């Protein structure tokens, strides 16, 4: 579903990634591990089209990301380590805004947003300002925005960071449900080996 082929990224004389190749097959949960500074976030930025590789290729559903950027980005939902949330908006208004950005058909936005709210367990706070939410709910809103447009692939950068053990487990169960019930391919950057062992089908280690 999503694949890196011999990807290298340089910033001047600094080589952030060297000849990285791996794939996340359709319908699997894949964990991406590595020490701090190994290049995990750079890898995700390249996978999601935020950065171009210096060399190599990214394929999404068989399409080259650079040559078919618009089509490929429609297939990817991205949750960065710091979710792009607007504190002055309500959860429901924010998700409608994201759907508009992702060019969801206007007549379908309202129903799509309500479905995402139910899926992510946000019904109780959908009317509240994002700035007034707890860390756990803010993370759920971040996941919710990644689902706007119904992408086939979810790319998640440290989605359980800062959550208590119960909140982190709840979040991982949500990803499991998205993977099993909606056949989403899920790529997760995490430092939590327990989550990797319990939830991931495959693991990629960036040295």
């Amino acid at each position: 579903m999503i694949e890196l082929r011999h990807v290298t990224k340089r910033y001047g004389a600094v080589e952030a990634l060297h000849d990285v190749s791996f794939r996340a097959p359709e319908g699997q949960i894949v964990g991406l591990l590595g020490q701090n500074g190994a290049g995990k976030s750079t890898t995700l930025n390249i996978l999601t089209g935020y950065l171009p590789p210096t060399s190599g290729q990214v394929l999404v559903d068989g399409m080259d990301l650079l040559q078919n950027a618009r089509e490929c980005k429609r297939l990817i939902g991205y949750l960065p380590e710091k979710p792009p949330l607007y504190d002055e908006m309500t959860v429901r208004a924010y998700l409608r805004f994201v759907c508009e950005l992702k060019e969801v058909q206007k007549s379908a936005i309202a129903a799509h947003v309500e479905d995402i709210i139910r899926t992510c367990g946000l019904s109780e706070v959908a009317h509240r300002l994002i700035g007034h939410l707890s860390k756990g709910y803010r993370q759920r809103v971040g996941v919710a925005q990644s689902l706007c447009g119904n992408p086939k692939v979810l790319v998640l950068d440290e989605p359980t960071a800062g959550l208590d053990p119960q909140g982190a487990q709840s979040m991982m169960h949500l990803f499991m449900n998205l993977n099993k019930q909606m056949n989403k391919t899920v790529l997760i950057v995490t430092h939590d080996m327990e989550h990797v062992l319990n939830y991931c089908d495959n693991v990629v280690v960036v040295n």
Side-chain angles (χ1 to χ4, degrees), residues 82-159:
K82 294 182 179 179
L85 305 180
Y86 290 95
D87 288 350
E88 70 278 7
M89 299 180 76
T90 67
V91 172
R92 183 175 283 110
Y94 170 69
L95 294 177
R96 288 179 176 175
F97 171 65
V98 175
C99 284
E100 291 174 4
L101 292 180
K102 294 193 175 182
E103 301 179 339
V104 176
Q105 188 175 355
K106 285 188 177 181
S107 61
I109 287 178
H112 184 45
V113 165
E114 294 308 314
D115 184 50
I116 292 172
I117 286 171
R118 287 191 298 271
T119 298
C120 294
L122 293 168
S123 297
E124 293 183 1
V125 299
H127 63 287
R128 293 178 57 185
L129 293 176
I130 293 173
H132 295 170
L133 299 180
S134 67
K135 171 70 173 177
Y137 274 125
R138 288 175 66 87
Q139 283 294 92
R140 284 181 176 268
V141 175
V143 174
Q145 65 81 28
S146 74
L147 293 175
C148 291
N150 195 28
K152 292 184 177 180
V153 181
L154 297 179
V155 178
L156 312 168
D157 192 357
E158 297 285 0

Side-chain angles (χ1 to χ4, degrees), residues 29 37 39 42 47 58 64 88 91 121 124 128 131 141 163 187 207:
I29 299 179
T42 298
L47 271 172
V58 179
D64 185 284
E88 70 278 7
V91 172
E124 293 183 1
R128 293 178 57 185
V141 175
L163 299 181
L187 179 65
N207 185 3

Side-chain angles (χ1 to χ4, degrees), residues 10 13 22 44 68 73 88 94 98 132 142 165 167 174:
R10 296 187 183 90
F22 68 86
L44 295 196
N68 306 276
K73 287 182 181 182
E88 70 278 7
Y94 170 69
V98 175
H132 295 170
L174 172 59

Side-chain angles (χ1 to χ4, degrees), residues 51-76:
L51 287 175
T54 303
S55 62
Q57 186 180 33
V58 179
L59 298 176
V60 183
D61 201 19
M63 297 182 290
D64 185 284
L65 177 58
L66 292 181
Q67 297 177 7
N68 306 276
R70 195 179 189 91
E71 294 86 349
C72 288
K73 287 182 181 182
R74 288 181 187 273
L75 299 176
I76 300 172

